[in-house]
Amino acid sequence: MTIVDAVLLKNVAAKALDRAGIPKDHAVQQLDLLMEAELRGIPSHGLLRLDRITRRVANGVIDPNTSGSHEWRKQAFLSVDGQKGLGPVVANAALDAVKSRARETGIAVAAIRNSNHIGMLGWYAERVASEGFTIIGLSTSEALVHPWGARRAMLGTNPIAIGIPAEGEPFMMDTATGVVSMGEIHDHAHRKAPIPEHWALDERGNRTTDAEAAKRGAIAPFGQAKGYALGLAFELLVSSLAGAAIGTDVRGTLDETEVCNKGDVFIVIDGPRYDIRDYLDEIRNMEPAAGFSQVLVPGERGRACRDQRLREGVPVADEVWERLQVLAGMKVAA
């Protein structure tokens, strides 16, 4: 691992996106998302994905110039064709539209297809909740998770994020329905680190601690049968509303050549705002159990990590840091 100053890291990544021909305003959105994941200790959704993004642009399966097209199918239901745009750019444009509509109708939904990897859902949830809206975000992925009791992948990791306005920092939770994301498996593979035995199966359907073997196998659902049920429900909900591919037909977030055909759904609510801060403080002030120093509310560990990394630098896998410099034109490829 290399510790890189956060400002330097962002500048190098910005040069890489510029050299890939991504318009500045779109590059800023993509980079903000990737950097926030790095700062919050989620490298699986951070800058290791930048190399794949630039290759997908070069291969024509990402159009970096579009923010998608919108069609209001109902008064409060927006259908979005992402037109192969960058995931954050398409999502932000859709969220701007449904936030505006939710101010009129109280609630509005955006269902997105034909976009690209949307990244860390919590990035959207926290930003929208900071503006006073309640938000639920859902996304799908390639079939990476095995149904409970099965030996091969059939579901996406299918994350959910929820943001709720609160005095001070908003409440934000962001979790996948797999034990981990495939990006985290890739991060372990980059670092040549073993994974816990309960995370994944290899391609023969056996438990493995080898991250490379897990990349060819299947991730376990979190919470066993309960995580499987939630993941399946989210898969059906997103694909049916967005008109996106489902199950083993999903492509395009882990490769460099396939058009991305998964889906995303955002539900934005502009309703009464009853403050939840006192209740959250009550949770924070509870006596911690043995082995814990304090009780945290979801999202707080990531914020603390962010503050620390802005002060002390960001640990980046050596392979990722080397590649970023090559993409930025600062180093010659071996």
Side-chain angles (χ1 to χ4, degrees):
M1 300 292 283
T2 301
I3 305 299
V4 185
D5 177 78
V7 174
L8 172 61
L9 184 61
K10 186 171 184 177
N11 287 340
V12 171
K15 288 181 181 178
L17 290 168
D18 181 63
R19 292 185 81 221
I22 298 174
K24 185 174 181 180
D25 58 335
H26 290 184
V28 165
Q29 295 177 62
Q30 181 68 71
L31 181 54
D32 281 352
L33 172 66
L34 297 176
M35 276 299 300
E36 194 66 19
E38 290 289 346
L39 291 171
R40 295 195 181 220
I42 313 172
S44 60
H45 285 54
L47 291 169
L48 72 81
R49 292 183 177 266
L50 193 146
D51 185 29
R52 185 180 300 128
I53 290 168
T54 60
R55 291 175 187 270
R56 288 180 62 78
V57 171
N59 290 334
V61 289
I62 289 179
D63 179 353
N65 299 295
T66 185
S67 57
S69 65
H70 296 175
E71 178 185 359
W72 286 99
R73 296 282 185 87
K74 300 285 184 178
Q75 185 181 11
F77 184 88
L78 179 66
S79 178
V80 179
D81 179 349
Q83 300 177 324
K84 300 194 295 186
L86 290 161
V89 175
V90 173
N92 283 336
L95 282 168
D96 286 343
V98 293
K99 284 185 295 184
S100 178
R101 185 59 56 94
R103 291 188 182 100
E104 303 172 16
T105 60
I107 186 170
V109 178
I112 304 170
R113 68 186 184 283
N114 193 25
S115 182
N116 275 277
H117 189 257
I118 200 169
M120 184 177 72
L121 277 178
W123 183 71
Y124 307 93
E126 187 165 89
R127 288 155 65 101
V128 172
S130 295
E131 298 175 39
F133 297 93
T134 296
I135 177 173
I136 301 170
L138 302 161
S139 188
T140 57
S141 75
E142 285 92 340
L144 300 170
V145 176
H146 65 79
W148 182 240
R151 296 173 69 90
R152 65 181 181 89
M154 185 61 74
L155 309 170
T157 49
N158 300 353
I160 180 171
I162 297 174
I164 303 172
E167 186 178 339
E169 297 281 2
F171 171 84
M172 184 275 287
M173 65 81 67
D174 178 1
T175 188
T177 52
V179 170
V180 292
S181 69
M182 182 54 80
E184 193 157 353
I185 301 286
H186 279 250
D187 176 57
H188 278 69
H190 272 296
R191 295 187 285 109
K192 298 178 172 54
I195 61 172
E197 187 179 9
H198 68 280
W199 275 15
L201 307 177
D202 63 20
E203 58 189 334
R204 295 180 298 277
N206 300 316
R207 286 192 174 191
T208 183
T209 60
D210 183 341
E212 289 293 341
K215 286 164 63 175
R216 301 186 296 272
I219 296 168
F222 90 89
Q224 301 179 342
K226 293 181 180 179
Y228 159 50
L230 282 173
L232 178 57
F234 296 164
E235 182 110 14
L236 297 173
L237 189 155
V238 172
S239 62
S240 62
L241 289 179
I246 192 168
T248 55
D249 291 333
V250 179
R251 300 284 187 276
T253 71
L254 294 170
D255 62 75
E256 300 166 3
T257 59
E258 298 280 349
V259 172
C260 187
N261 59 4
K262 56 86 182 170
D264 311 297
V265 168
F266 289 105
I267 303 166
V268 174
I269 303 165
D270 185 21
R273 301 188 185 106
Y274 302 108
D275 190 46
I276 58 176
R277 181 175 178 178
D278 288 347
Y279 178 57
L280 295 178
D281 285 342
E282 188 176 355
I283 291 173
R284 294 182 181 103
N285 294 330
M286 293 177 71
E287 181 181 356
F292 292 84
S293 60
Q294 63 182 123
V295 179
L296 297 174
V297 168
E300 290 182 335
R301 184 179 290 108
R303 289 175 186 143
C305 181
R306 185 183 196 279
D307 292 342
Q308 180 180 4
R309 291 186 172 189
L310 285 171
R311 293 192 309 269
E312 301 175 6
V314 184
V316 183
D318 294 336
E319 183 180 343
V320 174
W321 178 229
E322 292 284 325
R323 186 59 185 159
L324 285 175
Q325 293 175 81
V326 170
L327 291 171
M330 301 170 62
K331 195 173 267 193
V332 177

